[in-house]
Amino acid sequence: MQNKLETVVNKASEVDVKDIDYIEMYVGNAKQSAYYFSKLYGFKVKGYSGLETGNRDFVSYFLEQGDTRLIISAAYSSEHPIAKFVMKHGDGVRDIALLVDDVESTYNNVMQNGGIGIREPYEQKDEQGCLKKAVIRTFGDTIHTLLERTNYRGSMLPEYESISDKYDAPDARIIRYDHLAVCVEQNREWIEYYENVFGFKMAQQFDKDDVSSKTSSLMTKVLQNGSDKIKLTIIEPAAGEKKSQISEFLEYNKGPGVQHIALLTEDILRTVENLQKSGTEFLYTPDMYYDMLPARVGKIDEPIDKLHKLKVLVDRDEDGYLLQIFTRPVQDKPTLFFEVIQRKGSRGFGNGNIKALFESVEREQALRGNL
Ligand code: FE2
């Protein structure tokens, strides 16, 4: 009885995170990674921090496309924490920075709710004003920088010097981050962390059992913040006949981390056409998938032959449909990759495609008399 009463009294302090401000990747060679994400994915290189700007410890490039900000950082010394991160995980996401209205109160509430603090609120100043930050720990070696831009006029961050883009990035038409997929050993722990600490809610529509196929089983839950702008799909491996894609990620990443970053576009056909021209490698989709597509998703605006040519996937749910495509990993390890997604009503994540892809592979196998 007393426990129950305490739970009511100690109701979680409200945490209001607005959106993803930026994602920071730690890599082995920031110059080459910045070039890669610019030339292949259409990000414009806008800012630089390194030896020439007085940063003696590490180098960072600030990339942007629409509202999608991506920071690429590498260490100058093997002793630096960035180098240690890369040595353990390979290139990957270190920071999912969250935009808030008030860093001080958000940090205090997060801590009251059981969040793990890494750095208390601090300020960074330059001629464009004052930016407030604090840092919270999350899954694996990933962090959330809390970021308050109220008194900062710049569009980047104080430590960066503007540079003019020289890479002639393709027109990728990416608008913003749509969602992030996170691989963990056990999703319950992290679902509770985001619910209790950040006040995220579990989305309803994702509890179907169509997520598993015979070769790769996984368990997925979707979490989102109050404004719906931050969506995390939390995936844990489940027992399957073969090693799942999720176990493989956890093995090569040496623990939990961001598995894929989904980029939102309003014209996926143009986006994928332009990215393919620039050399972005996407996953293979069997031809049979497109034979089976009309029966599975019904009437859609896009011509099937165009989707087939570009290998874009489609999934439908009660609210509408979505189009998506996955890239190959962006480093040699089978860890971080990207997704491009366009939404036409659907608020899902393309679960039906896991089963549809599996069935189309089996159908092709059967045609060859090998099933
Ligand atoms: Fe996704």
Side-chain angles (χ1 to χ4, degrees), residues 179-181 233 260 262 324 326 339 341 349:
H179 64 272
L180 300 177
T233 63
H260 73 259
Q324 65 186 165
F326 299 94
E339 172 185 345
I341 184 167
F349 298 87

